[in-house]
Amino acid sequence: MIALPVFAGGSKKKEETTALKKQIYGLHKVDDETTSIPYLERYLELSQNELYFKLLYAKALLYRNDMVVPKPEEPAEDRINKAKIIQKNYNLASKIFQENVLHLEKVRPRDPNLGRWYYLWAFSEWFSDNKEKSIKLFLKAVKLDYRLTEAYYNVASLYESLGQWKDASLYWRKYEKAEKELEEED
């Protein structure tokens, strides 16, 4: 467990939120989202309406790497319980992304990172086993940010996993074409 700083009194709230922001930004800068989770949770307790930090929290849950993965040699009940914990984590990330990406789209429809947030939301839906929704979100992401060509790759993979080979083939071609266009642009 990470020791979080505790400040007394309401006048210290700003100091605490500033310290938490610094810690959160530092951890996300070095791709250590998992370690940032307790800091984000505390920050969101203090500042419940911070849209950007809610999105960072959802991202941290999506990239979380401290969850125990079930192993085939474990008893079935243990594997099921571990899988439920992982699924609950992805479901929470999906819920947070949905609430906050849609809100971000309303308040800042031209936000340059909107496509990236849709992209991350799509992954959380995929990992929550909502493949159809994930496909729609990946397509929305690439529509908002043409540089997210990997979205086509993911859509093709999703269609393959659903056994929809014609749709998969279409998106493999879209992916290849988009990649070539990006290379030509550079």
Side-chain angles (χ1 to χ4, degrees), residues 5-183:
V6 177
F7 297 89
S11 63
K12 298 286 184 174
K13 180 181 175 185
K14 183 173 181 172
E15 288 180 41
E16 184 176 3
T17 57
T18 301
L20 288 166
K21 275 184 182 180
K22 185 177 180 182
Q23 189 70 32
I24 292 164
Y25 285 138
L27 291 167
H28 279 256
K29 188 183 259 186
V30 296
D31 296 327
D32 193 3
E33 288 84 358
T34 301
T35 305
S36 76
I37 290 173
Y39 298 103
L40 282 160
E41 288 171 342
R42 177 64 183 145
Y43 183 85
L44 290 170
E45 283 176 21
L46 297 170
S47 303
Q48 297 162 1
N49 296 322
E50 288 278 355
L51 177 64
Y52 181 71
F53 284 89
K54 288 179 183 179
L55 289 168
L56 285 180
Y57 181 51
K59 179 183 174 193
L61 292 173
L62 178 64
Y63 288 158
R64 188 173 202 162
N65 62 13
D66 64 344
M67 307 201 49
V68 182
V69 177
K71 295 184 177 100
E73 65 273 4
E74 294 177 324
E77 187 176 336
D78 291 347
R79 288 193 320 264
I80 290 168
N81 289 335
K82 288 177 182 178
K84 283 181 182 178
I85 291 169
I86 293 169
Q87 190 66 41
K88 184 178 175 185
N89 179 72
Y90 288 133
N91 291 343
L92 178 58
S94 295
K95 179 182 177 219
I96 295 168
F97 273 126
Q98 180 169 339
E99 291 170 358
N100 295 287
V101 171
L102 293 175
H103 184 67
L104 177 64
E105 188 172 35
K106 287 178 186 171
V107 296
R108 295 192 64 197
R110 292 195 177 122
D111 187 298
N113 293 316
L114 193 56
R116 177 62 62 185
W117 291 119
Y118 265 99
Y119 186 78
L120 294 173
W121 178 15
F123 269 112
S124 69
E125 293 295 345
W126 187 355
F127 298 160
S128 294
D129 205 29
N130 298 322
K131 294 178 181 180
E132 294 291 337
K133 186 173 185 179
S134 181
I135 289 169
K136 290 176 185 173
L137 293 170
F138 277 126
L139 294 175
K140 174 91 176 197
V142 77
K143 182 178 178 183
L144 291 167
D145 186 347
Y146 72 94
R147 296 168 296 173
L148 296 172
T149 57
E150 306 90 17
Y152 291 130
Y153 182 95
N154 295 329
V155 168
S157 297
L158 282 160
Y159 276 130
E160 273 191 7
S161 74
L162 293 169
Q164 299 177 17
W165 307 111
K166 287 183 182 179
D167 290 327
S169 179
L170 170 72
Y171 283 97
W172 286 124
R173 288 192 305 274
K174 281 190 176 199
Y175 168 70
E176 290 172 0
K177 181 181 177 192
E179 281 290 299
K180 285 180 186 175
E181 289 172 0
L182 271 184
E183 286 175 17

